[in-house]
Amino acid sequence: MFSTAEREAIVALIKREVIPAIGCTEPVAVSLCVARATELLGVKPEKITVRLSANILKNAMGVGIPGTGMIGLPIAIALGAIIGRSEYGLEVLKDADADAVEAGKQYIDEQRISIDLKEGITEKLYIEVEAVAAEHRAVAIIAGGHTSFVYLQRDDEVLQDCRTATAEGESADDVQLSLHRVYDFAMTAPLEEIEFIMESKRLNKAAAESAFGNDYGHSLGKTLRGERELKVLGDSIFTRILSYTASACDARMGGAMVPVMSNSGSGNQGITATLPVVVYGEECGATHEQMVRALTLSHLTVIYIKQSLGRLSALCGCVVAASGSSCGITYLMGGGYEEVAMAVKNMIANLTGMICDGAKPSCALKLASGVSTAVLSAMMAMEHRCVSKLEGIIDEDVDRSIRNLTTIGREGMNETDGLILNIMTGKC
């Protein structure tokens, strides 16, 4: 069904998109860009100017920065210059310690950092860093993907310039997928070629469990395990799915220094694609192979949907990621492709339109909403109950239904995106 070359391309795509990250990927990507500019400069910058697209700015304003106890971009920028190493990718801040944080606070107090909205660009994921020291200047630009450098310059020497072909296509469009191809790959790929996906289970489950004994963010995952909450909701597979998923998000958005496995540039998407499948599989006695295939189905479904949605939009990523986990759960329930397609349609019929109003601790609430819908959609699908083409944006063809979802998120919600940012930046 798949040639060796096709399998290798899909495996490479998954490995490119499902990678470890520490902290929210938007401020971390800014740190990464600062780190690279600093490396080009060769010394700690005297002044850093950061120019960002609206979506990056939106997602970096209210989120905790790992290991700092602080929120927002200034400390992420300062640490990128002080201890950041670009070779770490989205784990660029993993060397941060108390001394680095204190140095970062001083750097901020000295007013060495300027943050501006980049005007006149259409790219939703855009980070431009200009670092200056003495008579020297370095510029680094990330666009299209959270780790995709498209421009590097030191003084008058341009070291790299591929701004006309940003990395969006590089990470996704070179592999053409449909939901059926996603399902077939997950079911038929040799197990040894896809077992690496189990690292997402290890990282994201550890992140969740780290938060059960701490108070990160709003502690939603921990709250769902409380005595009063269990009396209301019960102690079930369903509540454990909610608590594990929310808890990992609590840790990540609250600034815990713990890595998570991201998907398509988002840690929350990686968490949502992973933990509902893991918890359901463990509770139901899934075999190792079933777990591997379920996680592959979930993560690759998310990658496929993101191909047409784009990295960042006004549509909350939990809608996409929970659609992936619903597919994985449906498979573990004994469903085939028909049921998986039904689950996706049920997801789209329910959650389309959930807005992204930036990365922040309350994202845990949205992830909990997404994964609860994922479970409901899977259960409906297993009863062969599916939202029909006569209802709303659902089409008879599941891939067209997905395109309807992503068109709304990519094009229809653009004005919403601007309004959200205006509200967020206009608060006293």
Side-chain angles (χ1 to χ4, degrees):
M1 184 173 296
F2 291 90
S3 68
T4 300
E6 287 175 322
R7 287 203 323 271
E8 289 176 350
I10 294 174
V11 167
L13 172 63
I14 299 172
K15 288 183 175 180
R16 223 162 40 228
E17 299 291 359
V18 181
I19 59 175
I22 295 177
C24 176
T25 46
E26 276 71 57
V28 167
V30 175
S31 292
L32 175 62
C33 200
V34 171
R36 189 70 186 99
T38 301
E39 290 164 358
L40 292 175
L41 195 62
V43 295
K44 186 170 73 173
E46 297 169 4
K47 178 75 175 177
I48 299 174
T49 301
V50 178
R51 302 177 183 92
L52 306 171
S53 61
N55 287 79
I56 292 288
L57 189 61
K58 178 182 73 173
N59 280 351
M61 289 174 61
V63 69
I65 306 303
T68 69
M70 300 173 69
I71 289 174
L73 277 169
I75 190 63
I77 293 168
L79 288 177
I82 295 167
I83 54 91
R85 295 178 63 179
S86 64
E87 66 192 78
Y88 290 166
L90 292 180
E91 295 180 285
V92 63
L93 297 181
K94 68 180 180 180
D95 290 338
D97 56 19
D99 290 341
V101 173
E102 286 306 310
K105 290 178 181 178
Q106 181 179 343
Y107 197 83
I108 294 168
D109 291 341
E110 292 169 352
Q111 298 184 337
R112 298 182 181 275
I113 297 169
S114 174
I115 303 169
D116 299 309
L117 185 65
K118 180 71 174 182
E119 302 289 352
I121 58 169
T122 58
E123 174 61 63
K124 293 186 176 183
L125 198 166
Y126 182 91
I127 302 163
E128 178 183 314
V129 174
E130 180 181 2
V132 176
E135 301 299 318
H136 296 287
R137 170 179 174 269
V139 177
I141 298 175
I142 286 175
H146 290 79
T147 61
S148 300
F149 287 95
V150 299
Y151 186 84
L152 300 173
Q153 179 182 347
R154 187 181 192 277
D155 293 330
D156 295 329
E157 182 182 5
V158 175
L159 305 172
Q160 176 185 342
D161 188 358
C162 50
R163 287 173 293 181
T164 57
T166 59
E168 191 75 43
E170 175 184 305
S171 64
D173 291 344
D174 52 352
V175 178
Q176 297 301 313
L177 296 172
S178 67
L179 188 64
H180 212 315
R181 280 177 62 80
V182 166
Y183 176 84
D184 287 344
F185 175 83
M187 297 302 107
T188 63
L191 194 62
E192 64 273 13
E193 293 183 9
I194 55 175
E195 280 183 308
F196 67 88
I197 203 69
M198 291 294 280
E199 183 68 1
S200 68
K201 172 188 173 183
R202 185 186 72 81
L203 284 183
N204 292 344
K205 190 175 180 185
E209 291 173 346
S210 75
F212 288 143
N214 292 283
D215 288 313
Y216 295 121
H218 297 296
S219 294
L220 177 59
K222 184 177 179 181
T223 298
L224 289 168
R225 297 164 68 89
E227 183 178 346
R228 177 175 54 226
E229 288 71 27
L230 290 175
K231 284 181 180 178
V232 175
L233 297 171
D235 186 7
S236 65
I237 297 175
F238 181 65
T239 54
R240 286 191 284 278
I241 286 173
L242 295 183
S243 66
Y244 263 83
T245 306
S247 187
C249 183
D250 287 331
R252 178 173 177 265
M253 296 287 96
M257 184 61 84
V258 294
V260 302
M261 191 66 82
S262 67
N263 184 304
S264 302
S266 167
N268 281 349
Q269 286 173 184
I271 289 166
T272 307
T274 302
L275 288 175
V277 177
V278 167
V279 174
Y280 185 86
E282 290 183 338
E283 294 283 346
C284 295
T287 66
H288 173 72
E289 179 173 352
Q290 287 172 327
M291 189 72 85
V292 170
R293 297 198 182 281
L295 285 171
T296 300
L297 175 60
S298 179
H299 278 282
L300 190 55
T301 297
V302 177
I303 293 167
Y304 164 52
I305 298 174
K306 292 290 285 187
Q307 282 184 339
S308 58
L309 178 62
R311 294 280 177 178
L312 300 175
S313 74
L315 179 68
C316 177
C318 81
V319 175
V320 176
S323 297
S325 59
S326 189
C327 293
I329 292 170
T330 301
Y331 160 71
L332 291 175
M333 287 179 171
Y337 173 73
E338 182 181 3
E339 290 77 19
V340 164
M342 288 180 177
V344 170
K345 290 182 183 181
N346 291 338
M347 288 295 300
I348 294 171
N350 192 339
L351 289 181
T352 297
M354 181 183 286
I355 65 167
C356 171
D357 53 343
K360 61 215 174 300
S362 61
C363 285
L365 290 164
K366 296 191 178 189
L367 265 63
S369 296
V371 300
S372 65
T373 302
V375 175
L376 294 175
S377 296
M379 291 192 298
M380 283 182 63
M382 291 305 294
E383 297 295 328
H384 274 234
R385 299 188 183 278
C386 178
V387 177
S388 74
K389 66 178 182 179
L390 301 177
E391 302 173 69
I393 66 169
I394 301 304
D395 196 285
E396 185 70 30
D397 180 80
V398 65
D399 294 295
R400 284 198 292 268
S401 297
I402 289 170
R403 294 296 181 274
N404 293 343
L405 165 72
T406 58
T407 300
I408 290 170
R410 188 182 64 251
E411 300 175 15
M413 297 177 73
N414 275 338
E415 188 172 343
T416 301
D417 223 9
L419 181 59
I420 291 169
L421 184 65
N422 287 341
I423 292 172
M424 291 174 63
T425 56
K427 291 185 290 186
C428 295

